[in-house]
Amino acid sequence: MMSKARNILLGLPLGFAALASAALAHHSSSMYDRTKPVTLEAKVVEFQWVNPHAQLAVVETQAPKGAEPKTWSVELTSPGVLTRNGWTKRTFNPGDRVTLKFAPLRNGEPGGYFLEATLADGKVMTYTLEQ
């Protein structure tokens, strides 16, 4: 019985280490290029207020000449962090016009990580993870 309890106690730090590394891997932002932020005029298609990360889908309204407008999917932080920064699930609504700044995906797909948005009334939406 003692050896079984000892094995469990010895195994706990390894288990916690495995969980911690999984959590760190989940929060990697290496897929985004923060050195080349993109700013675009867009119309909100959908704002998903979901865990673990809220998502904002927008269609660019000022596509380059001769190009079709793209639908972009932009990842944000969790609804809990957004709430602590004064956001609500109605911060963005379908049809809203926004100026969106984000770190694009490195692979060139139309997506990225949210940096800030300017709403039609001029209000700038940002957040900080430290609250």
Side-chain angles (χ1 to χ4, degrees), residues 39-112:
T39 301
L40 58 89
E41 301 291 321
K43 181 174 72 172
V44 173
V45 175
E46 182 178 23
F47 183 43
Q48 295 180 359
W49 188 260
V50 296
N51 279 313
H53 301 279
Q55 294 284 326
L56 179 63
V58 298
V59 174
E60 65 185 334
T61 56
Q62 302 290 323
K65 188 174 181 177
E68 289 291 318
K70 292 180 186 175
T71 299
W72 295 80
S73 179
V74 178
E75 181 178 336
L76 294 93
T77 190
S78 71
V81 170
L82 294 173
T83 299
R84 288 190 293 277
N85 281 268
W87 294 50
T88 72
K89 63 183 177 181
R90 292 184 182 83
T91 296
F92 298 107
N93 296 291
D96 286 355
R97 301 282 179 169
V98 297
T99 300
L100 184 64
K101 183 177 178 183
F102 58 93
L105 286 167
R106 291 184 187 276
N107 67 5
E109 293 293 317

Side-chain angles (χ1 to χ4, degrees), residues 6-62:
R6 191 179 114 243
N7 289 340
I8 290 172
L9 288 175
L10 290 174
L12 282 175
L14 293 174
F16 287 130
L19 288 173
S21 66
L24 288 173
H26 169 79
H27 288 95
S28 172
S29 62
S30 63
M31 75 268 281
Y32 305 112
D33 189 349
R34 292 183 181 264
T35 66
K36 298 176 184 168
V38 172
T39 301
L40 58 89
E41 301 291 321
K43 181 174 72 172
V44 173
V45 175
E46 182 178 23
F47 183 43
Q48 295 180 359
W49 188 260
V50 296
N51 279 313
H53 301 279
Q55 294 284 326
L56 179 63
V58 298
V59 174
E60 65 185 334
T61 56
Q62 302 290 323

